[in-house]
Structures are given as structure tokens and as C-alpha cells.
Amino acid sequence: MRMKDLLSERFQHFSLYECRGSSRLYECLATEIADDDELLRLSGHAREDQPTPNLLLGAVHYLLQQSDHPLKRFYASLTTVPEKPEKAFYWFKDFCRNHETEIKQLLTEKLVQTNEVRRCAYLYPIFCHIYQQTKHPLSLIELGSSAGLQLLWDKYAYQYEHGSIVGNADAQLVLTAEVREGQLPLLRKKSPPVAERIGIDLHINHLNDPEDYAWLKALIWPEHQTRRKAFERAAMQCQKEASDLTLIEGNGVDLLEEVAAEIPFDSTICVFHTHVANQIPSREKKKLIDRIKHISKNREIFHIYNNMSDPLLHIDRVSEGKESHEIVGRTDGHGSWFEWRLEQKQMT
């Protein structure tokens, strides 16, 4: 298949299966881009290991923040009353022509590192579930951590199905999510203790760097005001807690054993990554599994992930060659809902 046809398929899939019902602007734009040779050629400058539609639309959103171009009128993130998204493509293409050089540079240099803090809404019950089993503080290793917002999941508060608020009672950020299947266990009002917070990424985003901050905001879709507000509050929390985070720039698969070797044995290692594995080549996925099994020869380790072989969220527990596997269920990519297929257990 020719590159142009492959890119066209990606934009069509993005419009139909990711944007529909979530972002009308991106749905319309992606549909038009899929049939536009000029914009497909521009998109071809994106890194092969990156989701091209997200990268192109993020690059335009990023540049538009500092522009007075008419395209700005269609973005709910940049104007109070946006114009109809069905009329945006003409101005989108015009903007891309005017900023072709800058867009090409962003496509070759930037990564899609959507630091979606709302995914913590399903990470919180998962880490409670793990702590119930081990009774040891958790040592977190996140692969693809970006700025590290998800490493601070215990610093936020949560509310599920209009129930009572759990987590950090003093948090400025309260995350909500719909539980579409199953029933959550009785969550701890006090979050499980965390011993280490380590994030590894090919590029670490620093929230005190205006360029990194603006890029992360640009990756949030224009209509998603709730996500944007959550990001802003989580970013403030992260800046306060920066001394508790260890963020390492590099290949997480290659560095995993070295990092794990430094973690004390009186804590439980939890390796996790959400919506990252779709950017990991198959050989690297196998290497990751092999590294986790190798670590488990000396100590127990939990692996929380999706998109390794299917879109479902999984929890693997590995110790001395023995493995147990649990499926949490499906999740929304932006954390607005998830399923909970695990058995209900009383949390204390």
C-alpha cells in the first residue's frame, strides 16, 4: 500500500472511530484531510512511530495558540463561541499552507504524549486492588510518563457514579468517571502508600517550560474543556510535588531492569503504561515482557497495561516464574469511562 493511501486510511479511521461523538471539529477535519493529497503529503513528514492524525492536529493547535488566523474561530479552546466545524477545513488548509515549515518541524521533532490525567480514575482502584493483595507500599514505574501527571494519582480525589469522594480529601482536582460494567470495590478513603514515583520517557515534558506546557495543552482536543481544566489543575499539583518525582529520559524497556534494581525490597513494584504500547514495535513489546519476567525471578512485580495485544486493560502479577492475569476491561482513551470486570472485594 502506498504511503498516501495508508495515511488516508489512518485519518478516516481516526475520524470515524476516535473523533465521532467526541470532537466534531476533528471528525470533520480528519475526514477532509483523508481526501486531500496536499495535506497527506504534509502529514508524511511525521515520525513513523507516532499516530499521524493526533500529531498533525496537535501541531496546528499548538501554533494556533499564538496566531490570529481565522481558523482560530472554530476552536472551542481558543474562542468563546466557535463557528460550525463543517466550515473549518478551508481555513485549516490555508493555515497549513501559511505555516508549512513550522508544521514540518513539529511533525519531525514532537511526540504525541497526551498526559491524560483522567486515566487516573481507573488507575486509582487498580492500585487499591494491588495494595490490598500485597500490603506493601507501591513503587511506581511508568513507561511513557511524559510530565508525570499519572504518577501522582494518589494526590487527586475521585468520585464514581455520584458516590462519596475518595482519595486525597484535600485535593484541588476531583476526577470523575462512569463505571460502565461491574461494581467498584469499596475504595480506601486514604490512598495506598507510595514509596517511589519513577517515570521514563523518550522525551520528558517539563511543566515549567512554556513550550512543553503549551504542547501538552495543544494535544487536548479543542472541545474537551473538562480535560483541559483537569490538566491545568494536575499541572499545578505536579509542580508542587516535583521533588517527589524521578523522571528519566530514555528507552523505558531498555532501562527497566536497571531502574527496578534500585527499588527497595520492602515495596511492591508496579510497572504501568496507558495508551503507550500502540507506539511500541512488536519486538520491543516482547522484550518488555521478557524484562518483567527476568525481574520477577528476584521479586514480585505487577504490570498494568493496555494495547499490548488488545485494547483491554490488564493486570499481570509475576513472581518467581509464576504468573496470574486479570482483565479490568475496556477503557475510554481519555478516561471518561471504564469497565471493572474484577471480582468485588472489600477494601480496608
Side-chain angles (χ1 to χ4, degrees):
M1 182 181 291
R2 294 185 305 168
M3 178 56 69
K4 186 189 78 169
D5 296 331
L6 179 61
L7 289 172
S8 178
E9 275 194 9
R10 287 179 183 174
F11 277 97
Q12 289 171 356
H13 185 277
F14 180 74
S15 173
L16 184 60
Y17 296 105
E18 297 187 46
C19 298
R20 181 163 293 182
S22 184
S23 171
R24 180 59 180 161
L25 177 61
Y26 278 5
E27 180 186 356
C28 292
L29 290 176
T31 298
E32 296 274 12
I33 294 169
D35 292 326
D36 190 282
D37 289 350
E38 184 178 344
L39 290 180
L40 289 175
R41 282 195 298 272
L42 176 62
S43 301
H45 288 85
R47 295 172 51 152
E48 290 185 6
D49 60 346
Q50 294 297 295
T52 306
N54 303 70
L55 197 55
L56 175 65
L57 293 166
V60 170
H61 198 187
Y62 174 79
L63 294 171
L64 200 58
Q65 293 177 85
Q66 303 299 324
S67 172
D68 292 325
H69 191 276
L71 177 63
K72 203 168 187 174
R73 303 195 303 256
F74 297 89
Y75 282 67
S77 54
L78 304 173
T79 187
T80 305
V81 184
E83 296 187 15
K84 292 183 178 180
E86 293 81 3
K87 299 181 179 180
F89 182 71
Y90 170 85
W91 296 110
F92 181 88
K93 187 169 182 176
D94 184 71
F95 184 88
C96 288
R97 284 174 170 167
N98 292 340
H99 297 271
E100 182 177 355
T101 300
E102 300 101 302
I103 291 172
K104 284 180 180 178
Q105 184 176 355
L106 290 169
L107 292 177
T108 57
E109 293 180 356
K110 292 293 187 183
L111 301 173
V112 176
Q113 296 174 290
T114 308
N115 211 167
E116 183 51 69
V117 69
R118 292 201 306 173
R119 293 174 189 157
C120 290
Y122 55 72
L123 289 176
Y124 179 72
I126 286 174
F127 288 127
C128 287
H129 175 70
I130 292 172
Y131 180 69
Q132 182 203 25
Q133 299 173 67
T134 67
K135 304 299 183 185
H136 291 299
L138 309 180
S139 285
L140 312 171
I141 304 176
E142 183 182 10
L143 306 182
S145 57
S146 189
L149 299 186
Q150 292 183 172
L151 285 163
L152 297 169
W153 55 269
D154 58 317
K155 303 296 182 181
Y156 314 130
Y158 303 89
Q159 187 173 37
Y160 303 95
E161 305 296 331
H162 307 292
S164 60
I165 292 178
V166 295
N168 179 11
D170 299 323
Q172 295 297 310
L173 173 59
V174 179
L175 296 170
T176 61
E178 176 190 357
V179 183
R180 289 197 171 177
E181 180 181 319
Q183 186 174 358
L184 288 181
L186 180 61
L187 299 170
R188 299 169 57 86
K189 291 186 177 180
K190 184 178 180 181
S191 299
V194 176
E196 303 274 355
R197 308 174 195 274
I198 303 168
I200 312 174
D201 207 320
L202 295 173
H203 171 73
I204 297 298
N205 285 290
H206 299 281
L207 294 170
N208 56 357
D209 181 327
E211 180 180 336
D212 283 352
Y213 187 92
W215 176 249
L216 290 177
K217 267 191 107 167
L219 291 173
I220 300 172
W221 298 1
E223 299 96 329
H224 293 187
Q225 302 289 10
T226 300
R227 291 178 62 203
R228 198 160 13 259
K229 290 177 182 177
F231 168 78
E232 291 167 353
R233 291 188 178 183
M236 288 190 291
Q237 185 73 46
C238 191
Q239 288 165 332
K240 291 178 184 177
E241 308 284 347
S243 60
D244 289 341
L245 292 173
T246 300
L247 301 177
I248 303 169
E249 199 155 275
N251 184 307
V253 177
D254 291 341
L255 294 173
L256 182 58
E257 288 190 77
E258 177 185 339
V259 170
E262 298 297 320
I263 293 177
F265 276 79
D266 59 354
S267 66
T268 301
I269 294 181
C270 297
V271 176
F272 73 99
H273 47 93
T274 60
H275 296 275
V276 170
N278 58 317
Q279 299 180 34
I280 300 177
S282 297
R283 64 182 181 279
E284 288 291 294
K285 290 180 183 179
K286 183 180 184 305
K287 189 189 295 184
L288 172 59
I289 297 299
D290 290 342
R291 296 280 164 90
I292 287 174
K293 288 180 179 178
H294 192 260
I295 294 169
S296 77
K297 291 181 179 179
N298 296 316
R299 62 184 303 172
E300 186 173 62
I301 182 170
F302 285 82
H303 183 201
I304 301 100
Y305 60 89
N306 57 13
N307 293 343
M308 290 285 281
S309 59
D310 60 51
L312 301 176
L313 190 63
H314 295 252
I315 306 173
D316 294 347
R317 183 178 187 175
V318 192
S319 178
E320 297 180 346
K322 297 179 181 179
E323 302 178 31
S324 65
H325 305 276
E326 294 183 298
I327 294 177
V328 180
R330 295 180 303 148
T331 66
D332 171 53
H334 300 133
S336 65
W337 61 265
F338 63 95
E339 296 173 344
W340 188 262
R341 300 182 185 176
L342 304 183
E343 290 184 8
Q344 184 176 355
K345 296 180 181 180
Q346 183 83 6
M347 302 294 285
T348 59

